[in-house]
Amino acid sequence: INNIPNQLAAKDSDIAPNASTLSIEAVDTADDGSCQALLVDTQTVQFSLECLNPASCGFASASISSGSVTPSDSGGLSYDPVSLDFGDSSTSVATFNLNYSEAGQVRLHAYYELLDQLGSATGETISVTSNSFVVSPYGFCIEPSSTESNWQCTNPGVSANCSAFKQAGNTFALNVIAKAWNNLVTTDFCDSGFAQTQNFNLNLSLSHSLVAPSGGDAGTFSSSNVTLSSGQNLASSQSFSELAVFTLTVGGDDYFGVTLPTTTSENIGRFYAKDFSWVSSSAATYDDANTGFSYVGELTGSGDGAISYTLVPSFNFHVRGFNNQLLKNYIGDYAHAPSIAVSASSNVAGNTTD
């Protein structure tokens, strides 16, 4: 069996992406010492696909040129017949395609029982074992769990007015699932048409990116990696520190020497502020219109109040998230003027509220 390149779970080896033609050749030594075709025309070859890592195939399935081959756990080979066309005596090569439904490190075994001129079994066989090769997930589904709602920030679009998801810093449940190939047009790996690869086990890199507001601070995400077991990590508790809309990206790690694909989520948000926190204030100082004395309600000749500020009072607030952390992205369209109630008191007039 000629060298088999690495594959994608559930994808026929001879179709894109990474299409490759696989072949098996049977040759014999002629009387003059040259190589000659041992098998010609259509022949039945026994094939076995062996799972190396993980050693158990689980519920995986496989096919070779439309012939079903039951995957075998490591060290316990079982074979299935596959009909292949070896052509005439000038070729001695049969091409085939391979499809393995799962992820992992595997290899092929094949044997053929030699027949005599009458077509009877001779008791002799020829056999071959391929190189080990890696079958990887096609991509990953990464999105909040089905228990979460209003997380896609799609109504009416990515803006400060899209649906509110969580207070910045509050936790939400996240799913990450390894998916097999499908010939769907969509690249939304959370689509039900993409089957889960249950044999995939790996600690994956996880990163986040800021979508909006423009020029904002990306803040931090609660995890930099996520461990998939049996192809999934469900409902892990995660959080973003900042007020914003984000995406998450998973993958790009080494898997038995193969660099895994990366997948970026749909927009996740909108994360919003919890409240405002008073920090400090500066008291006002006043002028008066009549040399040190003015009446409350007295007006100047222009109709303005007689009592005016010489120093305007000021108030400083922080915008806070779920854990009372200071938020930096209360900017642009994501900033809204707060409603403020002001109370004033006088040792003469008593308390008033505006």
Side-chain angles (χ1 to χ4, degrees):
I1 301 177
N2 290 333
N3 189 56
I4 299 177
N6 298 317
Q7 303 291 314
L8 293 174
K11 184 186 77 69
D12 286 347
S13 57
D14 60 349
I15 63 174
N18 304 326
S20 57
T21 300
L22 310 182
S23 64
I24 183 171
E25 183 177 15
V27 295
D28 192 10
T29 304
D31 292 339
D32 61 2
S34 62
C35 291
Q36 64 180 7
L38 178 61
L39 298 180
V40 295
D41 299 327
T42 299
Q43 302 289 340
T44 298
V45 179
Q46 304 293 323
F47 276 94
S48 179
L49 185 144
E50 181 185 12
C51 297
L52 300 176
N53 198 342
S56 173
C57 302
F59 297 100
S61 61
S63 64
I64 294 177
S65 293
S66 300
S68 177
V69 175
T70 302
S72 301
D73 293 347
S74 182
L77 302 182
S78 63
Y79 287 83
D80 292 288
V82 176
S83 180
L84 297 177
D85 183 4
F86 285 85
D88 57 29
S89 59
S90 64
T91 59
S92 72
V93 174
T95 60
F96 63 93
N97 63 50
L98 169 69
N99 186 307
Y100 179 56
S101 67
E102 269 296 343
Q105 191 174 35
V106 299
R107 63 184 175 186
L108 284 181
H109 302 268
Y111 81 86
Y112 177 84
E113 187 170 12
L114 296 174
L115 307 177
D116 60 22
Q117 293 180 345
L118 299 177
S120 301
T122 64
E124 297 180 343
T125 60
I126 55 173
S127 62
V128 66
T129 297
S130 77
N131 60 297
S132 63
F133 55 96
V134 178
V135 186
S136 304
Y138 184 42
F140 302 94
C141 167
I142 176 169
E143 67 178 11
S145 302
S146 59
T147 55
E148 305 286 0
S149 59
N150 295 329
W151 61 266
Q152 290 179 302
C153 195
T154 56
N155 185 17
V158 180
S159 73
N161 298 315
C162 74
S163 54
F165 179 38
K166 297 277 186 178
Q167 291 179 4
N170 196 2
T171 59
F172 63 96
L174 181 71
N175 291 346
V176 182
I177 305 171
K179 292 301 188 84
W181 182 88
N182 196 314
N183 61 354
L184 297 175
V185 175
T186 180
T187 55
D188 175 11
F189 295 113
C190 296
D191 187 285
S192 60
F194 292 97
Q196 179 178 331
T197 56
Q198 299 183 8
N199 288 356
F200 182 79
N201 304 288
L202 197 68
N203 186 42
L204 297 173
S205 299
L206 185 62
S207 61
H208 74 288
S209 298
L210 177 71
V211 176
S214 177
D217 191 294
T220 60
F221 185 64
S222 52
S223 298
S224 60
N225 55 72
V226 57
T227 299
L228 271 62
S229 178
S230 298
Q232 63 182 18
N233 184 302
L234 300 180
S236 65
S237 180
Q238 306 291 349
S239 63
F240 291 98
S241 68
E242 261 299 338
L243 172 162
V245 179
F246 299 94
T247 58
L248 289 171
T249 298
V250 67
D253 304 274
D254 180 84
Y255 184 57
F256 302 121
V258 173
T259 300
L260 290 170
T262 59
T263 301
T264 297
S265 71
E266 299 293 328
N267 293 331
I268 301 175
R270 173 178 50 96
F271 295 90
Y272 55 93
K274 181 184 79 169
D275 60 18
F276 298 89
S277 174
W278 175 84
V279 178
S280 63
S281 63
S282 299
T285 58
Y286 302 91
D287 194 5
D288 55 276
N290 193 23
T291 317
F293 178 83
S294 294
Y295 289 105
V296 173
E298 183 179 355
L299 300 178
T300 65
S302 62
D304 296 327
I307 301 174
S308 62
Y309 291 121
T310 56
L311 178 64
V312 177
S314 65
F315 303 88
N316 295 313
F317 296 89
H318 281 168
V319 182
R320 301 191 302 181
F322 180 77
N323 298 306
N324 295 328
Q325 77 275 23
L326 174 64
L327 301 180
K328 301 178 182 179
N329 287 348
Y330 204 72
I331 58 176
D333 292 342
Y334 285 73
H336 302 278
S339 298
I340 300 176
V342 178
S343 298
S345 64
S346 166
N347 57 1
V348 176
N351 297 334
T352 61
T353 300
D354 185 11

